[in-house]
Amino acid sequence: MKINAKAKFILNILALLLIFGIMFYLIKNSLSDILAELKETTIIVLVGVVFLGIAYQFFEGWSIRSIVTGFSKKFRIFDGMLTAFYVAFYRVITFGMGTLISEINFYNRKGLKVSQGMGVAALHMIMYKGAILTYAIFALIIQFSLFYEHAPKMIPLILLGMVMTGVIISFFLVISISLKLQVGFVMLCHRFLKTKKMRDFVDRCNIQIYSLRETVSSVLKDRTALVKIYLLNLLKLSMWYLIPYVCLVDNHPDIDFLLVFSLISFTLVLAGVLPSPAGIGAFEFVYLFLFSPLVGTVDAVSSMLLYRFASYVLPFLLGFVGVLVDRKNAISNELEELKAERSE
């Protein structure tokens, strides 16, 4: 059914009001502690945190552009950064449920097919998780003797986090490139689904899955590009991993840089596989658990809030600006359509 200009205009206004409502709720509740911490932060530390947060987004955009470039030569690093901003925004306002859809939708708006967008998103996730796993392995090697002496029970937990991260990477690879899995999916569906309508739906899904497999396989064949994307993911994560040290070194000038770098790498690998205990986020729980014995609870909480600002709030706010611009343009176009309809 075709939606007329007036209906689209009303829907965009309602969507805009909904976005502002969610923004107000988040700032008042979820983000209030982070924003309060910014007021107490010295300008030097704040500039350092913001710089590292933006640097992460730059390398993230470069990484995404390197994956997409096989399908669209017009896709720029800035477009990759916009992708990250949009995904961060919709991740927050949909409470995580719209993350993948928003990423694929952005690629689709840039001219990629849905299957290509799914392939890019899958490879994006694989490379990100691979970089997290790489840092965690090196960190454990470097800090093994320290953990073995002071916290031996943490070693099996860290190893479990690494194994689970490896399982996640393997799962994404298998569903993206396995022909046997695709054939098995179709055979299973056709065995239990007897109606023509359902089988047609499965066949349409199968075409998308086939295109997804072809998309990921084509990217994986370019070894040079893969190494570049992998290194960019290591580089982008290093920007985030520097943030706790920047936040803590002022009050703890003797703090060990490699230890802080290792602890944040363990935090990321564990937070990605642990459930959220007692209503607190998995990342926050692991971060405070690892950093509090080192710098005390107050400084651990302070550095955690600044880390969340750079990795969570900053891209969300930048995404919010992008969405506002999109909505403004959409509403302006619909107003022009309304004027054109009335003049006819």
Side-chain angles (χ1 to χ4, degrees), residues 201-215:
F201 174 74
V202 171
D203 290 338
R204 289 196 298 271
C205 291
N206 185 46
I207 292 171
Q208 288 295 330
I209 295 171
Y210 179 81
S211 299
L212 168 63
R213 186 172 62 81
E214 290 295 304
T215 297

Side-chain angles (χ1 to χ4, degrees), residues 157 264 266-290 304 308:
L157 188 60
I264 189 62
F266 296 150
T267 301
L268 264 290
V269 79
L270 289 173
V273 298
L274 289 180
S276 300
I280 187 174
F283 174 86
E284 288 79 3
F285 175 80
V286 178
Y287 189 101
L288 294 178
F289 180 78
L290 292 177
M304 180 196 71
R308 293 302 274 169

Side-chain angles (χ1 to χ4, degrees), residues 58-298:
F58 172 77
F59 291 116
E60 172 80 313
W62 193 354
S63 171
I64 292 173
R65 187 254 180 192
S66 299
I67 301 174
V68 176
T69 191
F71 311 113
S72 174
K73 300 297 182 183
K74 296 179 180 179
F75 198 92
R76 304 161 297 168
I77 292 177
F78 182 68
D79 292 321
M81 295 176 69
L82 285 178
T83 306
F85 297 156
Y86 273 78
V87 171
F89 176 77
Y90 284 107
R91 180 188 295 118
V92 174
I93 68 167
T94 63
F95 305 98
M97 293 183 291
T99 304
L100 181 60
I101 294 174
S102 62
E103 183 173 359
I104 295 172
N105 180 61
F106 189 88
Y107 297 140
N108 187 246
R109 287 170 53 192
K110 290 296 180 179
L112 273 69
K113 299 176 182 177
V114 172
S115 58
Q116 291 174 335
M118 291 172 64
V120 172
L123 195 56
H124 181 206
M125 173 63 73
I126 289 167
M127 289 298 181
Y128 171 69
K129 291 290 185 182
I132 288 177
L133 183 59
T134 300
Y135 275 129
I137 291 171
F138 279 105
L140 186 59
I141 292 172
I142 294 170
Q143 304 297 339
F144 185 84
S145 59
L146 178 66
F147 272 75
Y148 185 78
E149 181 179 353
H150 296 284
K153 293 182 179 179
M154 280 297 300
I155 295 176
L157 188 60
I158 293 169
L159 289 172
L160 177 62
M162 293 179 186
V163 171
M164 292 299 295
T165 303
V167 169
I168 293 171
I169 294 170
S170 301
F171 172 76
F172 274 98
L173 278 173
V174 168
I175 64 172
S176 299
I177 64 176
S178 175
L179 178 60
K180 290 183 179 180
L181 185 64
Q182 181 183 351
V183 173
F185 166 75
V186 175
M187 290 179 64
L188 185 66
C189 290
H190 278 246
R191 181 177 179 182
F192 292 100
L193 301 176
K194 303 301 183 182
T195 65
K196 185 179 184 302
K197 184 177 181 181
M198 292 303 297
R199 288 194 171 191
D200 288 343
F201 174 74
V202 171
D203 290 338
R204 289 196 298 271
C205 291
N206 185 46
I207 292 171
Q208 288 295 330
I209 295 171
Y210 179 81
S211 299
L212 168 63
R213 186 172 62 81
E214 290 295 304
T215 297
V216 175
S217 297
S218 66
V219 176
L220 292 176
K221 288 177 183 177
D222 191 343
R223 301 295 176 85
T224 303
L226 274 181
V227 172
K228 177 183 177 182
I229 296 164
Y230 173 69
L231 292 176
L232 284 170
N233 275 270
L234 288 176
L235 194 55
K236 77 176 186 183
L237 273 179
S238 68
M239 299 297 103
W240 274 2
Y241 286 7
L242 289 171
I243 292 173
Y245 183 79
V246 170
C247 296
L248 295 169
V249 70
D250 190 36
N251 292 331
H252 303 271
D254 297 327
I255 198 168
D256 187 335
F257 170 77
L258 287 177
L259 178 57
V260 174
F261 199 91
S262 298
L263 290 180
I264 189 62
S265 69
F266 296 150
T267 301
L268 264 290
V269 79
L270 289 173
V273 298
L274 289 180
S276 300
I280 187 174
F283 174 86
E284 288 79 3
F285 175 80
V286 178
Y287 189 101
L288 294 178
F289 180 78
L290 292 177
F291 278 89
S292 293
L294 181 66
V295 297
T297 302
V298 173

